[in-house]
Amino acid sequence: GDSVTQMEGPVTLSEEAFLTINCTYTATGYPSLFWYVQYPGEGLQLLLKATKADDKGSNKGFEATYRKETTSFHLEKGSVQVSDSAVYFCALTEAAGNKLTFGGGTRVLVKP
Amino acid sequence: DTAVSQTPKYLVTQMGNDKSIKCEQNLGHDTMYWYKQDSKKFLKIMFSYNNKELIINETVPNRFSPKSPDKAHLNLHINSLELGDSAVYFCASSQSGFRNTIYFGEGSWLTVV
């Protein structure tokens, strides 16, 4: 079946540092890929998405590129802020079923 | 305007009770979902409805019964609550088509004591 693997956290950074969260996937077909973010005590928000190979999703300074050859969708941000402290989830959907398969989440803590 | 809204946001209840969580979406979507997030933040789909019809039913105890009165509403009823049911339950919606974005509600934090 489908699966998503992302790096375990927590990831602790200083403000203005560079953030990378690795995400790789296994899928039988050609999935769409998503990053969702969950701020403390809140629900899930879509951060960005990409639906085909080499697409780059971007939002709020975050970027991720759909790499079919390496089955990866790594999340990056050039300069993080304290307000970026959250749990980040990589996820995919496939044509076989309109459902999201999530990675385990990566907690990011940005210190001033 | 909240796109996907669910109530209640917090629920503390005793073992053995029956409770319901309600969900409504105003996005005009035809598909709605329930996801469960456990204490380790792991997220897994429970159910999915398309135009009021059940299309995904993962391995969930039959104490959990979803009900979709129309395509804008999807409720979750839980019978005989157990300690292990404590979790965050997220309602979500999308337009059918796997490349479409799934939008989530703010979650319902259920604690069974």
Side-chain angles (χ1 to χ4, degrees):
Chain A
D2 301 341
S3 66
V4 177
T5 303
Q6 57 183 109
M7 56 194 290
E8 286 192 29
V11 175
T12 304
L13 302 163
S14 298
E15 223 170 3
E16 299 184 2
F18 186 87
L19 171 67
T20 300
I21 304 176
N22 290 338
C23 171
T24 57
Y25 67 88
T26 302
T28 52
Y30 195 155
S32 290
L33 303 174
F34 303 82
W35 278 100
Y36 282 84
V37 59
Q38 186 175 26
Y39 297 103
E42 297 187 14
L44 286 164
Q45 301 177 25
L46 176 70
L47 184 57
L48 52 84
K49 75 179 210 183
T51 59
K52 62 183 189 294
D54 300 324
D55 263 3
K56 178 187 283 188
S58 61
N59 186 24
K60 298 181 181 180
F62 289 89
E63 292 184 340
T65 301
Y66 190 144
R67 300 288 186 201
K68 197 166 187 290
E69 64 277 13
T70 55
T71 61
S72 64
F73 193 51
H74 304 321
L75 182 69
E76 297 181 336
K77 185 173 184 182
S79 176
V80 292
Q81 305 299 313
V82 172
S83 58
D84 294 324
S85 298
V87 181
Y88 293 83
F89 293 92
C90 186
L92 65 81
T93 59
E94 272 223 275
N98 200 30
K99 65 176 185 178
L100 279 163
T101 298
F102 283 93
T106 302
R107 184 180 300 276
V108 172
L109 178 61
V110 181
K111 295 187 173 179
Chain B
D1 272 354
T2 304
V4 181
S5 59
Q6 48 184 115
T7 55
K9 182 162 184 177
Y10 300 103
L11 182 56
V12 180
T13 188
Q14 291 190 326
M15 271 180 16
N17 284 350
D18 303 339
K19 290 294 176 187
S20 292
I21 307 172
K22 296 186 175 183
C23 180
E24 176 181 5
Q25 55 94 4
N26 63 5
L27 295 167
H29 291 160
D30 61 2
T31 305
M32 295 186 73
Y33 314 80
W34 279 110
Y35 282 80
K36 180 180 179 180
Q37 185 176 45
D38 64 22
S39 59
K40 295 185 178 178
K41 298 286 190 185
F42 186 69
L43 279 152
K44 196 172 192 306
I45 191 167
M46 300 173 69
F47 303 103
S48 171
Y49 272 74
N50 177 262
N51 283 316
K52 303 193 300 174
E53 286 197 30
L54 182 66
I55 56 171
I56 294 175
N57 184 354
E58 296 290 295
T59 309
V60 176
N62 57 16
R63 297 182 294 104
F64 290 78
S65 52
K67 198 161 283 186
S68 182
D70 56 61
K71 67 178 188 178
H73 295 84
L74 179 62
N75 303 322
L76 182 66
H77 188 75
I78 316 171
N79 289 326
S80 304
L81 278 155
E82 300 178 357
L83 294 177
D85 298 331
S86 296
V88 184
Y89 293 87
F90 285 101
C91 179
S93 75
S94 73
Q95 192 58 27
S96 51
F98 77 104
R99 301 207 184 276
N100 293 322
T101 300
I102 298 176
Y103 294 91
F104 285 81
E106 294 192 341
S108 294
W109 270 253
L110 172 65
T111 302
V112 182
V113 297

